Amino acid sequence: MHNRAMESKLRVLVVDDEVALGELYLNFLGRIGANVVLCDHPQKAWQAIDKDVYDLIITDFKMPIITGDEFI
């Protein structure tokens, strides 16, 4: 039996304007084998979502321009 979930990595999109915190997510999630895309601005995140499918999106709630709630 072939299962797509077994053959692919977890795809995570991290949206955070604080680069240091984004790097922390990147390092931690990378350790568990996740494929992580880090965006420092909501506009970049929307572009990433237009190009790919993600299993999980982690977003900061306090960002310039819009909040994390508005982004979701």
Side-chain angles (χ1 to χ4, degrees), residues 7-8 12 15 17 21 28-29 32 37-38 42-44 48 52 57 64:
E7 65 187 38
S8 64
V12 181
V15 187
D17 60 315
L21 189 54
F28 176 76
L29 294 167
I32 64 169
V37 173
L38 176 60
Q43 184 64 34
K44 292 178 184 177
D52 211 343
I57 297 174

Side-chain angles (χ1 to χ4, degrees), residues 20-47:
L21 189 54
E23 291 292 328
L24 181 68
Y25 280 115
L26 187 67
N27 290 332
F28 176 76
L29 294 167
R31 287 183 184 173
I32 64 169
N35 184 346
V36 181
V37 173
L38 176 60
C39 294
D40 63 355
H41 192 280
Q43 184 64 34
K44 292 178 184 177
W46 284 322
Q47 292 170 353

